[in-house]
Amino acid sequence: MGALAAATALLGGGLYANANAASVQSDPSSSASASDPGSPSQSTPGSTSPSTPGSARPSAVVPSNSAGTGTSVSDVVDAANTFLDTLDDDQQADVLLDFTQANAVAWSNLSCGATCRVGIELSSLGDTQLAAAKAVVEAATGTGSDSGYDQISQILAADDVLGETDSSYGSGNYYLAFLGTPSTTGTWQLHFGGDQLAVNLTYKDGEVAGATPYFAGVEPVSWTDDGTTYAPLSGMHDGLVSMLEGLTDDELTEAKLSDTTTDVVLGPDDDGDFPTTKEGIAAGELTDEQQQLILDAITPWVEAADDTTAESTLSTYTSELDDTYISYSGTTALDTAGDYVRIDGPGVWIEFSVEDGVVDTSQLGYSSVYRDHDTDYGGEFSFS
């Protein structure tokens, strides 16, 4: 079975292939058993920058009760309860956890399994349980191509590609938890991820209170399966390249960081460490066309959340665009290890890093993180 087919089966079907690929859809009720988890690797996270949390701004709670096209937060809750009904008591205890800071920040982009994550591992679930788990993630995330659920499915498929070489990787090594009780009242979080992925969607009184942190990485950056080429982060990469290509030579000089960056700055365990001073060039100095390129670059990250939340959040970031800064180090082609781009606004924080591969050092990998200065984890915790 190809890597994409394996990941699709693991999530119970319903995959929508990317823009570079032919459309692939399967029956949401179909599924296959996950691969066995492997042992953790020994890589280390990137460095941090001294900082304090960003300045206060109005809450980005989305007053829409929407989560995905044609669905609502109540549909996410229904999907969560359906999943829970497939589990025995011990499994439910692994999934239903308290919404504490310690549990919320337990995510990583390393293949460290349960030592750095909470929840139930997908490889431990049966077919019906896997299909129900998939339904939760799909209901809560966006419907776009190369974003939302499509991107999540492809990232898991990329892990299966790595798993062919290194058994510590694979789409079975992902974890799902509900922090707090899924409900249209109260506060809870959908917490899903594994190596190269972290989804943290926080709900408060039936509304989306925060869609970050969202970590998306991939190695290899592209691969071919049954004659179709997949590149889960191509939209993110290409949007940033276009954004930088839109700058003049003088603007590129102003936007270039003085220090090189070899990894994302605000990865796992770096919560709240936003730099105190924004670096680069402010969007307010740029033309309307250049500003649109910045918004286009932001969009794939925002679209990780459900469609209505994404639209509302992008509207907020548009209103804050004049005070949003873009910066980079390395080259603007984003095709060499050490190339790096950052977008830092009153709310939005996006990083994209090009790195040498971990499993195959002759290949490149991408790491990216999307945060919000005020609404990470729904704004429920203080990291100052």
Side-chain angles (χ1 to χ4, degrees), residues 277-299:
T277 302
K278 297 188 186 303
E279 299 179 85
I281 187 169
E285 300 179 34
L286 304 177
T287 66
D288 290 347
E289 291 78 10
Q290 291 170 316
Q291 290 185 356
Q292 185 59 54
L293 288 173
I294 297 173
L295 290 174
D296 291 344
I298 290 172
T299 298

Side-chain angles (χ1 to χ4, degrees), residues 13 36 59 75 77 85 96 150 191 203 209 216 238 290 296 322 329 335 351 355:
D36 290 333
S59 171
D75 292 318
V77 172
D85 286 343
L96 281 171
D150 176 34
H191 188 90
Y203 300 91
D238 295 350
Q290 291 170 316
D296 291 344
D322 281 354
S329 62
D335 61 2
E351 299 177 76
E355 303 157 6

Side-chain angles (χ1 to χ4, degrees), residues 8 111 187 190 302 353 367:
T8 306
S111 55
T187 302
L190 171 61
V302 171
S353 174
S367 292

Side-chain angles (χ1 to χ4, degrees), residues 34-47:
S35 56
D36 290 333
S39 57
S41 67
Q42 299 299 318
S43 39
T44 57
S47 59

Side-chain angles (χ1 to χ4, degrees), residues 75-159:
D75 292 318
V76 179
V77 172
D78 288 345
N81 287 330
T82 297
F83 171 58
L84 290 171
D85 286 343
T86 70
L87 306 179
D88 62 32
D89 290 346
D90 289 340
Q91 290 174 313
Q92 286 191 16
D94 288 337
V95 174
L96 281 171
L97 304 172
D98 292 336
F99 188 22
T100 63
Q101 182 169 313
N103 285 335
V105 303
W107 59 270
S108 178
N109 63 317
L110 306 179
S111 55
C112 46
T115 64
C116 62
R117 297 182 181 89
V118 295
I120 195 165
E121 189 173 23
L122 296 190
S123 65
S124 71
L125 301 176
D127 292 352
T128 299
Q129 295 169 329
L130 284 169
K134 161 263 169 185
V136 181
V137 179
E138 186 173 22
T141 53
T143 63
S145 178
D146 280 344
S147 63
Y149 185 71
D150 176 34
Q151 184 177 70
I152 289 168
S153 298
Q154 292 185 60
I155 289 171
L156 268 67
D159 258 23

